[in-house]
Amino acid sequence: MKKTSTRLADGRELIYYDLRDDTVRDAVDRRPLERTVTTSQVRRDPLLGDDVAIASHRQGRIYHPPADECPLCPTEGDRLSEIPDSSYDVVVFENRFPSLAGDSGRCEVVCFTSDHNSTFAELTEEQTRLVLDAWTDRTSELSHLPAVEQVFCFENRGAEIGVTLGHPHGQIYAYPFTTPRTALMLRSVAAHKEATGGENLFDSILETELAGERLVLATDHWVAFVPYAAHWPYEVHLYPRRRVPDLLALDEDARTEFPKVYLELLRRFDRIFGEGEPPTPYIAAWHQAPFGTLEEFEGVNRDDFGLHLELFTIRRTSGKLKFLAGSESGMSVFINDIQPESAAQRLREVASS
């Protein structure tokens, strides 16, 4: 992997990740952009105790542009985009309309391929490994920023999810706090550790699922399963067999095997609802241990956290979506219409050839 860092016309950082070591990246951003001004701030909710990002400047972000005006495609002739070069393998840049910025963290865009009409599931294993390496490198770099406490790599796919740009891409949020979902996990890890005399909750979950009927696939270094209390109609958690706190700690064997496993899962997701159905909308989310202090989670350290990916769709059946209505949005109590065991069986049935 070759990494080349440069700057866009408005001062934002852009990084090329290339498969070939001899690739030269010297294209200049020719757009007449003024320096980006953001109004991002984080406010603490005194009643719930969580944090909310206020980012009113995002109202002006690009919304469903036609394909020939996509800002994530390479620059071509007089059609200028966020990527100055005429081609790329993987590229990462600071979001022009970030939810978090400055002392409130950082937001980045990850373009998986220069092919506008492709999807992550259509990448090669070599390309997927490059994306993994980019995620890992950005996790390392962002973790050293003074304002950053947790790094979150994720992909939203599909207009149903709320995606406003059709180009295959994901995002990285670098939060200045430990997210509420991660905090819940850490409290559960602490409680389990105390109740069992030191056992790790992630290890216990993996052991249970390996022996159960919710297993989707298992390889030498990765295990995918539908969780016992799945929140979403089709939801898969992907664990490395060897527990590690973040992407940085994955060993080379796990990294080498990841592309094949992950592409298989994505392709199965596209088969869930049968032939002729539109691509399955999904969210793919990496959960990593925070880099800040864990003092509030008594008895827990970073190594107690288990890196894992959660992949889920809001489509519950052909032509129907699961909306977060009263119980989910109002009280955070999910109601799942699909039996997790049935979802796992379906995901096993649609194994790609």
Side-chain angles (χ1 to χ4, degrees):
M1 177 187 79
K2 181 181 180 181
K3 176 183 175 182
T4 306
S5 179
T6 184
R7 292 282 171 180
L8 296 173
D10 56 7
R12 288 175 294 132
E13 185 178 19
L14 180 143
I15 307 160
Y16 295 98
Y17 293 89
D18 287 295
L19 293 168
R20 292 174 56 94
D21 290 337
D22 60 353
T23 303
V24 176
R25 298 296 186 186
D26 55 7
V28 175
D29 184 3
R30 294 181 281 130
R31 296 173 298 171
L33 297 180
E34 296 182 358
R35 184 164 292 274
T36 301
V37 177
T38 65
T39 57
S40 177
Q41 60 179 274
V42 173
R43 296 184 181 182
R44 187 77 170 176
D45 185 322
L47 189 61
L48 297 179
D50 59 6
D51 297 281
V52 177
I54 309 296
S56 57
H57 62 275
R58 283 174 53 80
Q59 286 282 26
R61 66 187 185 274
I62 299 171
Y63 187 81
H64 292 300
D68 61 356
E69 296 179 17
C70 175
L72 306 185
C73 287
T75 287
E76 183 177 346
D78 292 332
R79 194 194 71 172
L80 308 179
S81 75
E82 289 280 63
I83 297 89
D85 216 322
S86 59
S87 67
Y88 62 84
D89 292 332
V90 173
V91 69
V92 177
F93 59 89
E94 289 183 76
N95 197 321
R96 190 177 175 187
F97 303 96
S99 302
L100 306 165
D103 293 339
S104 297
R106 177 158 156 155
C107 292
E108 298 182 339
V109 176
V110 185
C111 297
F112 304 135
T113 172
S114 60
D115 184 354
H116 180 87
N117 297 313
S118 185
T119 67
F120 201 124
E122 294 173 312
L123 298 183
T124 66
E125 291 185 17
E126 185 181 34
Q127 289 173 307
T128 302
R129 171 59 190 263
L130 185 61
V131 174
L132 175 63
D133 290 343
W135 281 333
T136 304
D137 180 71
R138 297 315 301 153
T139 296
S140 175
E141 293 291 329
L142 293 171
S143 71
H144 289 96
L145 296 180
V148 173
E149 188 166 312
Q150 185 172 1
V151 179
F152 177 47
C153 306
F154 64 100
E155 179 192 3
N156 299 329
R157 188 181 85 162
E160 301 94 329
I161 296 293
V163 175
T164 57
L165 297 176
H167 196 103
H169 74 287
Q171 299 181 65
I172 302 175
Y173 275 25
Y175 298 102
F177 51 79
T178 297
T179 63
R181 188 172 176 82
T182 303
L184 286 173
M185 293 182 190
L186 289 168
R187 292 188 187 100
S188 295
V189 168
H192 184 82
K193 191 173 186 179
E194 181 177 4
T196 60
E199 291 183 10
N200 182 271
L201 179 57
F202 288 99
D203 294 348
S204 297
I205 289 172
L206 187 57
E207 181 180 1
T208 298
E209 298 298 349
L210 274 168
E213 57 183 320
R214 291 178 297 276
L215 188 67
V216 174
L217 64 86
T219 63
D220 289 343
H221 302 285
W222 295 91
V223 178
F225 58 89
V226 177
Y228 171 73
H231 289 56
W232 300 96
Y234 289 92
E235 176 180 345
V236 175
H237 292 190
L238 179 63
Y239 280 38
R241 283 186 183 264
R242 182 179 71 87
R243 173 170 43 87
V244 294
D246 52 40
L247 290 166
L248 301 171
L250 284 174
D251 60 29
E252 183 56 32
D253 289 338
R255 292 182 182 279
T256 299
E257 194 179 67
F258 172 77
K260 183 177 182 179
V261 174
Y262 188 48
L263 291 173
E264 171 70 16
L265 283 179
L266 293 181
R267 290 163 185 170
R268 290 192 193 190
F269 256 58
D270 275 340
R271 290 183 171 91
I272 293 173
F273 303 104
E275 296 295 330
E277 287 290 322
T280 302
Y282 66 73
I283 293 175
W286 280 110
H287 292 265
Q288 306 190 77
F291 289 94
T293 177
L294 301 182
E295 292 178 357
E296 64 178 294
F297 310 104
E298 188 172 350
V300 173
N301 56 54
R302 289 194 80 248
D303 290 335
D304 290 321
F305 192 88
L307 167 76
H308 64 285
L309 182 138
E310 297 184 6
L311 173 67
F312 60 90
T313 179
I314 63 171
R315 186 179 292 164
R316 55 188 175 87
T317 189
S318 180
K320 297 180 180 179
L321 302 179
K322 174 182 176 58
F323 293 99
L324 298 189
S327 185
E328 290 92 350
S329 295
M331 297 301 281
S332 295
V333 178
F334 274 69
I335 301 169
N336 191 350
D337 298 328
I338 306 293
Q339 190 82 6
E341 292 74 18
S342 299
Q345 180 179 351
R346 177 59 181 157
L347 286 163
R348 291 193 298 269
E349 290 172 350
V350 297
S352 60
S353 58

